[in-house]
Amino acid sequence: MPSTSTVFMLLLSGLVATAGCGVEEPGAEDPPAASSEGAKNAIQFTHVTEQAGLGGFQHVTGAFGDTWFPETMGAGAGFLDYDGDGWQDLVLVGGAAWPGRDDPPAQALRLYRNDGDGTFSDVTAAVGLAGLRTYGLGVAIADYDNDGDPDIFVTTLERNLLLRNDSGADQAVAFTEMGQAAGVGDAAVWSTSALFFDADLDGHADLYVGNYVEWSPEKDIWCTIDGEVKAYCTPQLYTGIPGHFYHNNGDGTFSDWTERAGFLPAPGKTLGVAEWDFNRDGWPDLVVANDTQRDLLFLNKGDGTFAEQGIVSGLAFDENGQARAGMGIDVGVVDTTGSASVIVGHFTSEMIGVYRQIGPALFMDRASQSQAGRPSLPTLTFGLCLFDPDLDGDLDLFLANGHISPDVERVQEGVYYRQHPQLFVNAGGGRFAEHTPPVAAPMVARAVATADYDRDGDVDLLVTENGGPVHLLRNDQPGGRSLRVRLEGRQGNRDALGAHVTAVVGTTRMERRVRTGSSFLASSDKTLTFGLGAAPQVDTLTVWWPGGQVEQFTALPAAREVHIAEGAGLIDTQSLHPSTLAERP
């Protein structure tokens, strides 16, 4: 397809979809999805959006008929405990109306307080965010100023925003917009996914911001899928914008060290970014998913500067040497090798990437062998996550799917605009088995974030829709089968970003890492969950703190959340109860 053409035919070879195209209206509480037979432990999610108080949320794309490219990208979301009460609250990107349109102005960001009884209350106005107006996309959440509360970074089509959490002595909480003053809102570009991480291990959270393409209403390109009606273009027709790296100066400000730290040159068109220590040298690395451009692997040189190794590592292209439409991304250890796998969501007719690490900087795409590749061909995956919903100790895979073109069904047989999410249960040996999806109706899904919002010990899901509602999926696992670990950095960054934790239960070894980023436009709960199956305890828990300190703990009982502080050991233990909520059907 010629990248210089102003008329782009969005035609890809179709496959018969495994999902239907009907739409069901969710009720106040949809029935839980049935679990597939043969799963190691029953997996059951319940759609609780309405009863949780989130039914009134609706993302706004601003679409008014001119099919402008950014309208396809969708809504970010994140979990955070903004008021320090121990319950995970929720921030949702609301979107915006285009300037000059007659639409009522959309609320750019909505903050919902977790009431601790299974419901959320809208506190947007109470925390000073009601007047925020911008075309927002994603969120990244971390305590960038090390003052003990989480702050919110918002990516936009304009200048990015940094919302500093200013908790007062009277327990009042308000957010102050500091983007330009802090040095991270310096340019008006289309930014997408971002993450905080401590690149140089100086104890302060730095920031990487993925950028997409050069676009404005004046630069919008006329594309079509039928030769007559304007349609949304693909990014192949636009010039990419490289990501930005901001070094945290430790005084509330950042400096743009993009070139200095080795993040240039880069093709841009980024939609996903994740952090991991791939060569296990104690320094954080980054992997970046780009849309129709090669993916990137930035290995830390051990001083906070990076070398890009995507092509030589085998991560940059598919098995045919072609760049794919990289969307959401996540990293985790999914088998017993102890090596990480990088999962990347792709466009319709492109398998998801399942890159197993086979050397310090070498990967092999095992999408076909994983048995998750072929079922992903009919779908377009944006958000995705590796998590342990059945608490059996290994990581399963959730894909949030939805197309960008509302008219795709007219021109491509077997491909649908609204698509079912997919859940793949870990079958061992790096293989997955497709499971009944946790949502009955297909959707135009975008971001997916995870948290134990009801504090019952299992991981719940939140999924956003482009131009649509949000979906809160409560995980209804039996209780007493997990250990939750919340880390607090004291010599290093306050969130303990980059801490690597292993839990040994009998002969099973689990690895988790405290991170922001991953998925697509999303930020998840930083407390780590270790599923124990039927085991009564974690035999040995080892924490490798950023900077090299190692602490070990033994005989930690199940059904607990432990708070561990760097250098101070275990400072608090709380019980987890499935009956935490006042009412649970």
Side-chain angles (χ1 to χ4, degrees), residues 29-47:
E29 169 134 349
D30 295 336
S35 298
S36 62
E37 295 182 359
K40 287 177 287 183
N41 292 307
I43 299 177
Q44 183 168 284
F45 286 89
T46 305
H47 195 298

Side-chain angles (χ1 to χ4, degrees), residues 198-199 201 277 279-285 300 302 498 513 545-548:
D198 188 358
L201 302 183
D277 179 9
N279 52 11
R280 295 186 180 268
D281 62 354
W283 292 83
D285 310 307
N300 200 313
R513 192 168 175 86
W545 296 95

Side-chain angles (χ1 to χ4, degrees), residues 160-179:
N160 294 326
L161 309 177
L162 180 60
L163 304 174
R164 187 183 67 198
N165 190 334
D166 292 327
S167 299
D170 59 354
Q171 302 303 312
V173 179
F175 287 87
T176 304
E177 206 290 293
M178 299 295 295

